[in-house]
Amino acid sequence: MVYLTSAYNTWVVIASVLIAAFASYVALDLAKRVRGGQRSAALTWWVCGSLVMGTGIWSMHFVGMLAYSLPIALGYTKLLTAVSWLAGVGVSAIALAIAGSGTLTARRVVGGSLFMGGGICAMHYLGMAAIDLTVPIVWNPLLLSISVAIAVGASAAALVIFALLRHTDPEHEVRYQLAAAVVMGLAISGMHYTGMAAANFPTNTLCLSAHSLAGESLGTLVINLTLLLLSLTLSTSHLDVRRRLAISLQAANDKLQSANEELQKRALRDPLTGLPNRVLFEDRLALIAAHKARVQHGGVAADRKLAVLFVDLDAFKPVNDSYGHAAGDQLLVQVASRLRRAARGCDTVARLGGDEFVLLLDDLSSAEDGERLAQRILQTLTTPFQVLGHEVQISASIGIAIYPDHGDADTLLVHADAAMYAAKHAGKAGYSMFEPHMNADARERLSLQNDLRHAITLSQLALHYQPKIDGIHGQMIGVEALLRWRHPERGFISPAVFIPIAERSGLIKSIGDWVIEEAYQQMHAWARDGLRMSVAINLSPLQLREVELVTRIDQTLAKNHLDPSQLLCEITESVAMDDIQATQQVFDGLEQIGVFLSIDDFGTGYSSLSFLRQLPARQLKIDRGFVVDLETNADARAVVDAVIHLAHALDLRVVAEGVETEGQYDILRRLGCDEMQGYWFAPPMPANQLLEWVMKHQPASATRLPPAEPCVRTPLYVIDGEVLPA
Ligand code: C2E
Ligand code: MG
Ligand code: MG
């Protein structure tokens, strides 16, 4: 058969290839839009994208058809042209849906490219069918198959290119997208022109649709409209990217800002109570003080004061230990809110950590205003707290420092702390106004604390022993071990000075252990010399909280072959009262291993009778303060008399400490005091001197010292073989 000779308008061909590449570029762009962003936006992009991309591909095909000419006039039927356009849109919809869905698997690529290839072929050959011919086209099967293969291959390439494009870094994205678009444009055009080459028009054919869609002006119109549509879509797409970028940047910015605010809050606030922390407090203090300094420099409001109140809870740790940390935390939160309520709205209430709070009071007319607030705080704390079902009573010690009277912004807090320490020392549950000597005290404490750290290793600690005398027979019935620190420069330092420092710094634990060990070794040494000595040691509150205290005492006793009844543990009344639960536990534990217990400094800690009854103590030591006045003060006598009666009623032995005169001794004896201790009999002395003292003052007992006895668990004082009732 003879066929008509076909020809191409080169410029239109080039235009069709460019349109194909441009449409591909836009298609790749749209695929990204469908992929990212919100669901509704993706859906809109999918619909619009399918229309635009479909039009683009179709337009390439249509323009390519218009570039083709035969010796006969050609035209296209409207309906089939419209259907071929629809096929183009359909193909694009599938392509965008696949590209926009999850990961591109090999299966998806194969399935997708078959679908898309089919769609492109449908579009192309429907477009060809729009040429209404009298004699049908004769197809070259090979070229036809190649065109189908190119369509499927181009679709697969498009999908793979899109998948690869996703992993390209943004910097090179446009370049890759351009290259991909050119490849895809060429592939689509390749398919088209191969398809055209497969078509042979017999010479005797005529085109019935020559007067429908045809002509150069239609080609120009389609090209222009398509380019306009693609350009509009591309710029809209880019604008949308920018808008989304701006939104996500804004969102990221907002997030960053709120994260920053949160960080700042955390950096400046105490997370438990929400109060300002030390950093914020010190910052405010510095700011207000600087402002005050400036104002005062100008001579204005020079009389307005600034006060710092340092509030430290008394005996907070026992609450934590007894009821658990959750209870401790709740208590701190409640204390914080009471402090807030006690303060004025303009005051800063901060938590420094642990049970330490500080208040910054500005614009006070006098220092007394600060004291009044301290009183209010003490008052507000007197109401018991309800903590996890427990009723908790707590007090605080408060130190006050005033600006500018007591220092500048840098020293005010330190001075308020020193004043607080003085308040604690003065018996807790009170306040102290800063005085210059407190500062020196604080420095001294720090230097002593540093030296104390090495006191054990440098063998600067020693135990001195003070005899305890039986009130009726006047015989020594035991000793109290009292700690001494031989400071290389300051000489002997009283435990009344360094024990509180050791307690505050935690050093008391190792010191306490040393005392126990040293006392046992001495008892063992005396036992070897035939002196079976009862020794009392003083326990600190921190030792009472050591779980292993009882076991350690028991093991050390056994190691030194000592009878537990030879040991007496003294614990001050206020400590016993501070931490009733811990005291009770340790007392019970010690009683179980046969060690006696004694309440020291009785009369200073407001013990309740019922509490005393609960404790398995054997002995009660009347504080020296009552003994001092015995000879001169009838009230003191009445108190001591009452205490002795009370103690005896509770089956406790009474010891009077600090007996310095014969008069005191006589009165105490008459009042029925069981034991006495004081300079009148003997001062505390080193172990070797004590032995000499025993020989000299208690010769009868000293000469009759029996050899060391095997461990006998008896709840009685035993000395010199003589058994005394407990
Ligand atoms: P304390 O247990 O009440 O000891 C009695 C204090 O009174 C001792 O003071 C003693 O030397 C002193 N003293 C004895 N007789 C008289 C007297 O007739 N007149 C006067 N004015 N004082 C007398 P010291 O040795 O300075 O101890 C003070 C406190 O230090 C002790 O009071 C005790 O609570 C504590 N302490 C002593 N050694 C230790 C220890 O090893 N561990 C612990 N945790 N605390 C200790
Ligand atoms: Mg004592
Ligand atoms: Mg005492």
Side-chain angles (χ1 to χ4, degrees), residues 20-22 24-26 28-29 32 161 165 172-186 234:
F22 192 18
S24 303
Y25 187 86
V26 177
L28 288 170
D29 224 69
K32 285 190 284 185
I161 285 173
L165 212 64
H172 301 118
E173 197 179 312
V174 176
R175 238 183 294 159
Y176 282 114
Q177 194 171 331
L178 259 174
V182 171
V183 172
M184 280 168 66
L186 286 174
L234 192 63

Side-chain angles (χ1 to χ4, degrees), residues 468 480-482 536-539 569-572 598-601 621 657 677:
K468 284 170 154 183
E480 177 176 8
L482 293 157
I537 58 167
N538 292 280
L539 289 183
C569 288
E570 293 189 11
I571 167 173
T572 59
S598 170
I599 307 276
D600 205 352
D601 301 347
K621 293 182 83 175
E657 40 179 23
Q677 182 185 348

Side-chain angles (χ1 to χ4, degrees), residues 372-393:
R372 265 191 286 281
L373 182 68
Q375 283 163 355
R376 206 159 58 232
I377 292 173
L378 293 174
Q379 176 61 35
T380 187
L381 294 179
T382 51
T383 317
F385 291 83
Q386 294 300 327
V387 176
L388 299 182
H390 305 282
E391 189 176 285
V392 177
Q393 185 94 46

Side-chain angles (χ1 to χ4, degrees), residues 518-590:
E518 176 69 16
Y520 285 152
Q521 280 179 19
Q522 189 53 57
M523 285 158 84
H524 191 66
W526 279 324
R528 274 202 312 268
D529 291 343
L531 182 61
R532 188 183 153 92
M533 187 77 85
S534 281
V535 177
I537 58 167
N538 292 280
L539 289 183
S540 112
L542 279 179
Q543 285 176 282
L544 283 186
R545 293 200 194 102
E546 282 183 79
V547 202
E548 67 280 14
L549 176 77
V550 176
T551 337
R552 191 164 47 242
I553 290 181
D554 198 25
Q555 283 169 355
T556 324
L557 277 167
K559 190 173 80 187
N560 291 294
H561 307 291
L562 295 166
D563 185 338
S565 66
Q566 278 179 268
L567 184 73
L568 192 77
C569 288
E570 293 189 11
I571 167 173
T572 59
E573 184 196 12
S574 51
V575 166
M577 286 299 289
D578 262 356
D579 196 350
I580 296 174
Q581 205 151 344
T583 317
Q584 185 95 43
Q585 270 175 17
V586 174
F587 274 29
D588 288 344
L590 289 176

